[in-house]
C-alpha cells in the first residue's frame, strides 16, 4: 500500500490515521495465521484482563518465543517498508505484538491509556498498527484523543481495578494522573477531541504509541473482536526512564530502565528486533 502525504500528516499532527485496505484478503489471512499461532502458543504472562467481571477479555503480548513468526509476517507483508515510509526513517525496529479477544457481546471498554507510560522511551517515531479480523462499527472501534501524543505524559493505568480505570500504575511520579475521560464525556460529549473510524476487514488503525487511546467494546450487535497489534519504532527514539519507587502492575516494569543512559539519548531497545 502506498503511503500518502495525508496519512503522514494525520499521523504526525493527530497521532492517528486509518489505512484503508492495508491488508488484502490474502494479506489478512497471513495476519490471521500469525494471530492464531500466538493464541495457540501463549506467553507466560497471557491471561484475562479484568478477570471475573463483565469486562473480562483475553490479552497476551510480547511473546519472545513467537518473535520469529511475527517478524516473518512483518517482512512478508512489507510492513517494515510501509512503516519506514510513514516516517521517512532509514531504520525500523519491531517492538512486539499484542493480541486481544473480546467475545460474547459483553466485554466493555478498555481503559484510556498511553503505551509510553509502560516504556522507558519516547519520540516521534513510535507506531501501533491495530487491525481486527471482523467488521467493526465506529462505536465498537478503538478511540484516540487527537494530538495527545504531543501533550502530557500521564501516569499509566494499573489494569487491576475494574471500577477505576484511572488507578495509577506508578506510585512515585510527577506524571499527572490519567484523566477520567469517560466521566468528562458523559457530562460534555465535546470535552475531548476524540477520533475513531468504522473499520472493514483489511483496514488498520495507525497511531502513535503515546496517544491516549481506549475503548473497542463489544456489544450484542458486534459480539466478537479478535485484534492483532504490531508495534514499531524508528530512528527518532530517545531514552526517557520510567518512574521508580513502586509499581502497581503485578511486577515492577521499571527494570526496563537502562541506568547507563542519560535521558534524551538515542535509544535502541535490546529486546526489540531491527527489521529494516
Amino acid at each position: 500500500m502506498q503511503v500518502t502525504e495525508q496519512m503522514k500528516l494525520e499521523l504526525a499532527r493527530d497521532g492517528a490515521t486509518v489505512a484503508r485496505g492495508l491488508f488484502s484478503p490474502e494479506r489478512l489471512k497471513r495476519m490471521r495465521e500469525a494471530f492464531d499461532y500466538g493464541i495457540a502458543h501463549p506467553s507466560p504472562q497471557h491471561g484475562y484482563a479484568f478477570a471475573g467481571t463483565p469486562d473480562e477479555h483475553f490479552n497476551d503480548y510480547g511473546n519472545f518465543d513467537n518473535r520469529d513468526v511475527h517478524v516473518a509476517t512483518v517482512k512478508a507483508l512489507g510492513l517494515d517498508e510501509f512503516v519506514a515510509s510513514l516516517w521517512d526513517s532509514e531504520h525500523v525496529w519491531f517492538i512486539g505484538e499484542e493480541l486481544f479477544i473480546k467475545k460474547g457481546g459483553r466485554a466493555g471498554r478498555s481503559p484510556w491509556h498511553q503505551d509510553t507510560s509502560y516504556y522507558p522511551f519516547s519520540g516521534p517515531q513510535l507506531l501501533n498498527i491495530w487491525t481486527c479480523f471482523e467488521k467493526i462499527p465506529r462505536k465498537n472501534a478503538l478511540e484516540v484523543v487527537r494530538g495527545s501524543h504531543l501533550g502530557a505524559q500521564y501516569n499509566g493505568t494499573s489494569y487491576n481495578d475494574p471500577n477505576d480505570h484511572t488507578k495509577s500504575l506508578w506510585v512515585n511520579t510527577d506524571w499527572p494522573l490519567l484523566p477520567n475521560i469517560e466521566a468528562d464525556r458523559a457530562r460534555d460529549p465535546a470535552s475531548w477531541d476524540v477520533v475513531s473510524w468504522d473499520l472493514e476487514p483489511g483496514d488498520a488503525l495507525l497511531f502513535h504509541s503515546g496517544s491516549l487511546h481506549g475503548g473497542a467494546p463489544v456489544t450484542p450487535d458486534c459480539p466478537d473482536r479478535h485484534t492483532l497489534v504490531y508495534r514499531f519504532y524508528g530512528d527518532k527514539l530517545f531514552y526517557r526512564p520510567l518512574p521508580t519507587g513502586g509499581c502497581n502492575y503485578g511486577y515492577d516494569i521499571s527494570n526496563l530502565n537502562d541506568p547507563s543512559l542519560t535521558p534524551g539519548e538515542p535509544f535502541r531497545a535490546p529486546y526489540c528486533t531491527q527489521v529494516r
Side-chain angles (χ1 to χ4, degrees):
M1 181 178 183
Q2 292 295 317
V3 171
T4 67
E5 290 303 312
Q6 185 66 22
M7 290 168 63
K8 292 165 70 171
L9 171 65
E10 290 176 353
L11 189 59
R13 180 194 64 200
D14 301 339
T17 188
V18 62
R20 298 291 186 195
L22 178 62
F23 301 109
S24 66
E26 294 77 17
R27 288 164 60 83
L28 193 63
K29 181 174 181 290
R30 179 64 186 259
M31 288 286 282
R32 184 60 191 249
E33 289 169 354
F35 177 90
D36 288 342
Y37 187 90
I39 296 299
H41 301 85
S43 73
Q45 67 264 24
H46 81 283
Y48 288 84
F50 305 120
T53 77
D55 293 335
E56 177 179 288
H57 60 276
F58 178 85
N59 177 242
D60 197 10
Y61 58 92
N63 188 345
F64 286 99
D65 290 340
N66 298 343
R67 178 58 58 100
D68 289 348
V69 170
H70 294 296
V71 168
T73 302
V74 167
K75 300 294 285 185
L77 299 180
L79 294 177
D80 50 340
E81 298 297 328
F82 176 74
V83 172
S85 296
L86 280 170
W87 294 324
D88 297 321
S89 179
E90 182 179 358
H91 305 104
V92 173
W93 286 261
F94 177 64
I95 298 174
E97 83 289 350
E98 189 161 14
L99 301 88
F100 298 93
I101 300 176
K102 291 186 176 183
K103 61 184 181 180
R106 70 184 192 124
R109 296 185 60 92
S110 297
W112 286 95
H113 66 285
Q114 297 161 295
D115 293 343
T116 44
S117 61
Y118 305 85
Y119 294 147
F121 50 73
S122 63
Q125 294 181 347
L126 277 165
L127 183 74
N128 290 11
I129 297 181
W130 190 96
T131 199
C132 295
F133 302 98
E134 297 88 6
K135 177 184 175 72
I136 304 295
R138 183 175 177 179
K139 67 182 178 63
N140 299 101
L142 197 72
E143 297 182 312
V144 178
V145 175
R146 194 195 313 266
S148 54
H149 65 305
L150 302 174
Q153 174 62 68
Y154 292 99
N155 201 327
T157 176
S158 66
Y159 283 101
N160 59 21
D161 188 341
N163 299 311
D164 182 7
H165 287 181
T166 69
K167 185 173 180 180
S168 293
L169 167 68
W170 299 105
V171 176
N172 229 359
T173 181
D174 58 359
W175 293 353
L177 183 71
L178 271 170
N180 193 331
I181 293 175
E182 287 311 289
D184 291 346
R185 294 171 80 191
R187 290 188 295 267
D188 177 7
S191 57
W192 290 85
D193 187 5
V194 171
V195 293
S196 63
W197 293 267
D198 295 308
L199 300 172
E200 296 289 336
D203 295 342
L205 292 181
L206 313 176
F207 63 94
H208 188 283
S209 307
S211 295
L212 277 166
H213 60 281
V218 291
T219 51
D221 58 339
C222 180
D224 299 306
R225 179 174 67 82
H226 299 73
T227 304
L228 177 59
V229 184
Y230 278 169
R231 296 188 174 98
F232 302 88
Y233 73 80
D235 291 323
K236 295 180 180 178
L237 188 78
F238 307 101
Y239 182 57
R240 193 284 329 270
L242 293 168
T244 57
C247 179
N248 291 319
Y249 196 55
Y251 60 96
D252 189 356
I253 57 176
S254 67
N255 60 13
L256 297 173
N257 287 341
D258 186 343
S260 71
L261 295 178
T262 300
E265 277 193 65
F267 188 74
R268 301 293 176 258
Y271 42 84
C272 298
T273 302
Q274 186 172 350
V275 292
R276 187 183 190 273

